[in-house]
Each structure stands twice: as C-alpha cells, then as structure tokens.
Amino acid sequence: QVQLVESGGGLVQAGGSLRLSCLASGRTFISTYAMGWFRQAPGKEREFVAANIWSGGSTSYADSVKGRFTISRVNAKNTMYLQMNSLKPEDTAVYYCAAAERPWRVINSAVDVGSWGQGTQVTVSS
C-alpha cells in the first residue's frame, strides 16, 4: 500500500510552465511501484497523462502531452515530479498522482492504479 500526496498546482498562463510533485510513503519498496499522473477536467473522465514503468525505468506519455510534459522520480525523497511546459488551456484539470496496484505492474490506464493522491488543481489561462 502506497500513500500519495500531490503539490505544485496553480494558475499559469498559456505557454508557461509548472512542476507538480508527488510524495510517496508506505511500508513497501516504493521504487518497485510504477507511478504516474492522471488528470480530470470538469464533466470529463479521468485520463492518463504520464507514467514511469518503475523507478529508473522507461516512461510513457499521452499523445496530448508528448514533447511538453516530463515525468521523473527521485528515490532519495520518494518523490515523483511532472514538469509541464508549453501549457495549454486544455491542460486545465485536477491532476492526480497514482501508484500501481502492485509492484512491477505497468500503468497504462486507471485500472492499473492501486493508490491515488488527493489531486492538485492546474489552471491554464488563455
């Protein structure tokens, strides 16, 4: 079981940048859990944004954010980051940190997620 807390959301103008942080804790080896980010806009379903297969492993991104967002992890602090550049108004959503349901499980969609953060609001103005 992994507990997650996000931070770093806020208001930014289109074309700007923002970095989200996710602090993970638990009794297990967190480095063995894939972690990622999802987002949910009002009236829409939660969608996959980015994920790290496992700590030190490869990354994957939704087509809508490729080339603009970068996911990374710092094991010493059990922290995951989402660097968001060239932000667009359509990026506006609540962003959720996520950890896989079990160690070594790849995150491709919400069905792979076992732990969610509380969410942090990202608003991109025109």
Side-chain angles (χ1 to χ4, degrees):
Q1 185 69 32
V2 179
Q3 291 76 50
L4 306 169
V5 179
E6 307 100 326
S7 63
L11 175 65
V12 64
Q13 293 187 358
S17 298
L18 203 62
R19 187 175 74 164
L20 306 183
S21 300
C22 174
L23 177 64
S25 62
R27 298 165 59 188
T28 60
F29 292 99
I30 297 174
S31 62
T32 67
Y33 283 80
M35 295 179 66
W37 294 92
F38 290 72
R39 66 187 183 187
Q40 187 167 23
K44 297 185 178 181
E45 295 184 343
R46 190 168 300 184
E47 66 173 346
F48 172 81
V49 175
N52 173 246
I53 303 300
W54 55 278
S55 183
S58 62
T59 58
S60 62
Y61 299 90
D63 288 342
S64 60
V65 306
K66 284 182 179 178
R68 300 188 298 119
F69 291 11
T70 303
I71 190 171
S72 61
R73 292 171 67 169
V74 179
N75 290 336
K77 298 193 295 182
N78 288 330
T79 302
M80 175 178 64
Y81 301 100
L82 183 67
Q83 179 66 47
M84 304 184 293
N85 299 323
S86 302
L87 284 163
K88 305 174 181 179
E90 51 262 43
D91 294 319
T92 295
V94 176
Y95 283 69
Y96 296 91
C97 178
E101 179 269 336
R102 60 173 173 79
W104 312 115
R105 182 167 181 172
V106 175
I107 295 177
N108 293 310
S109 70
V111 300
D112 303 309
V113 175
S115 302
W116 296 97
Q118 82 285 356
T120 185
Q121 177 70 47
V122 172
T123 302
V124 184
S125 62
S126 300

